[in-house]
Amino acid sequence: MEKKSYSVKKLDKGVYVIDEYAMNYMYIVIGTEKCLAIDTGTGTGDYKSIVDRIAGDKPYDVVCTHCHVDHCGGIGQFRKIYIHPNDIAPVVAGNGRAGTISVANRRRYSARGFAVNPEGSLPFTLESFQEIDTSTIEFVGVREGDTFDLGNRSLTVYEMPGHSMGCICLLDKANQILFAGDNVSKILILPMDLPHKERVQMWLTGAEKILALRPYYSVIYAGHLCPAPMELFLDQVTLARKILTGEIQQEFLQADEFRGPLYRYGEAYFTLEEENLKTRDYRRILHPDLCE
C-alpha cells in the first residue's frame, strides 16, 4: 500500500493548513516579510521541510498554542519555539524525556492516527519516535498582547488558559482570522487538578474575552477543526455558563474516543474527569459502539 504524507492545502488569505493524518492541524501564515508556523504536530514526519518550502526565502517563527503532545511533538525539528511561559515546564521536564512530548506520549497519541487511517497507510510506526532533547531548543515566552509582525499582517497573542495553563489564541485582525488551538473543539479537556467549577470558570473567562473580539474575526482555525464552526464556540460558552449555574450536570455519554461522564450542550462537550482520559479509545471515533 502506498504510504500517506502530510496533506498540505492552501486556504484563503495566505494561510496553509497541514493535516497530520487526521490527528490534528498545523498552520503556516505568510506575510510579506516573514512567516509564522502555528503548532508542530506530533512529530510523525518532516514538518520542517514543509515549513521551509512554503516560507521560501522568508524567515519564519514557530509558535505553539499550548504544551500538549499533538502541538509540541515536532518541536525537535526547530531551534526556537515561542510558547506561553506557563507551558514551558510541562514540555521540558526531564529535558523533554519526561514531559508532554515524551516518546511514550507521542506513541500514545499516534494511536489516533492508526485508528482512523487504513492499516498500513501511515509512513511511521510506534518505533519511529525518538527522544527530543529540549536543552537544544530556545524557548521564548509569549504573553497577552505580544504580536508577530509578518510585514503586511500581524498576529496578536490572547491568553486563554483552561485546556492547559498556558493556552493561547492568535488573532489576525486585518484578515479576520482567529487561530484557536484546542480552545475551540468538540470535546474540550480541562485541567484535572482543580475543582470542576474553577476549571470551567478559568476557561470561560478567556472565552468571553475572545467572544468580545467577535467583530475582528469571521473564521476560526483550530487544532482539530478547520474551520471550526462559530456555532460550536457559542455552544461551548453556553455550556460553561450553564455548568457554573448548575443548569447542566454530567451525563454518561459517548463522544468520539470518550465514553464516560461528560457535560454537553448542543454540539459541545466538556470532560473534566481523569478517568475519561484513562479509558479513551481512539477506535471509537469510527466505531462508536465499541465498549471496551
Side-chain angles (χ1 to χ4, degrees):
M1 176 181 291
E2 182 178 354
K3 300 295 184 182
K4 291 187 174 184
S5 58
Y6 284 159
S7 171
V8 181
K9 180 181 178 182
K10 187 175 182 179
L11 304 173
D12 290 337
K13 301 178 180 178
V15 178
Y16 289 79
V17 59
I18 294 83
D19 180 350
E20 189 180 26
Y21 313 117
M23 296 193 295
N24 42 263
Y25 295 113
M26 300 91 81
Y27 300 93
I28 302 172
V29 184
I30 309 300
T32 53
E33 302 296 328
K34 293 183 69 174
C35 302
L36 182 66
I38 300 174
D39 289 325
T40 67
T42 315
T44 58
D46 186 1
Y47 178 49
K48 183 178 184 299
S49 68
I50 295 175
V51 180
D52 288 342
R53 173 169 57 82
I54 292 174
D57 58 0
K58 295 175 184 174
Y60 61 81
D61 291 322
V62 182
V63 60
C64 291
T65 57
H66 62 291
C67 62
H68 293 164
V69 63
D70 49 329
H71 298 260
C72 284
I75 63 172
Q77 301 176 32
F78 303 96
R79 295 182 178 179
K80 181 188 290 187
I81 297 293
Y82 289 85
I83 189 171
H84 193 279
N86 287 349
D87 272 14
I88 294 176
V91 173
V92 303
N95 279 342
R97 296 172 178 84
T100 58
I101 60 170
S102 68
V103 169
N105 276 343
R106 281 179 285 149
R107 286 175 175 168
R108 174 193 53 77
Y109 185 75
S110 68
R112 185 186 189 101
F114 292 111
V116 300
N117 288 280
E119 185 175 356
S121 67
L122 297 182
F124 64 92
T125 69
L126 293 179
E127 304 307 316
S128 301
F129 297 103
Q130 303 296 318
E131 290 182 342
I132 298 172
D133 183 357
T134 55
S135 68
T136 66
I137 302 170
E138 178 186 358
F139 291 91
V140 181
V142 292
R143 291 189 177 275
E144 180 99 9
D146 287 346
T147 61
F148 292 93
D149 185 355
L150 307 185
N152 63 329
R153 68 198 305 171
S154 63
L155 285 80
T156 303
V157 174
Y158 289 90
E159 296 174 354
M160 195 173 170
H163 181 57
S164 80
M165 300 306 289
C167 263
I168 63 169
C169 295
L170 295 151
L171 179 60
D172 181 348
K173 287 186 178 180
N175 294 283
Q176 292 268 301
I177 303 170
L178 177 70
F179 296 93
D182 282 357
N183 289 301
V184 180
S185 56
K186 176 182 174 181
I187 307 170
L188 182 66
I189 303 170
L190 293 176
M192 303 299 163
D193 54 353
L194 293 171
H196 282 204
K197 288 192 175 181
E198 287 185 33
R199 305 178 211 168
V200 173
Q201 183 62 69
M202 178 188 296
W203 179 86
L204 180 60
T205 299
E208 290 182 326
K209 173 179 60 182
I210 297 300
L211 193 60
L213 294 166
R214 180 69 181 84
Y216 300 106
Y217 57 92
S218 58
V219 64
I220 301 173
Y221 294 142
H224 300 279
L225 294 166
C226 179
M230 179 59 65
E231 293 77 11
L232 174 60
F233 184 34
L234 297 176
D235 281 352
Q236 287 183 291
V237 171
T238 300
L239 175 56
R241 290 170 176 167
K242 288 182 177 292
I243 291 172
L244 293 176
T245 61
E247 295 175 72
I248 291 181
Q249 303 294 326
Q250 289 188 118
E251 303 175 70
F252 191 92
L253 299 169
Q254 162 77 46
D256 290 347
E257 69 266 30
F258 294 102
R259 184 182 178 87
L262 299 168
Y263 293 95
R264 180 186 181 183
Y265 178 85
E267 297 300 316
Y269 297 80
F270 284 3
T271 175
L272 292 88
E273 299 292 343
E274 187 174 0
E275 191 63 25
N276 284 342
L277 298 185
K278 293 178 180 178
T279 60
R280 70 198 302 185
D281 189 332
Y282 295 115
R283 295 175 298 172
R284 295 189 185 121
I285 296 172
L286 297 183
H287 305 285
D289 294 332
L290 185 69
C291 294
E292 296 180 357

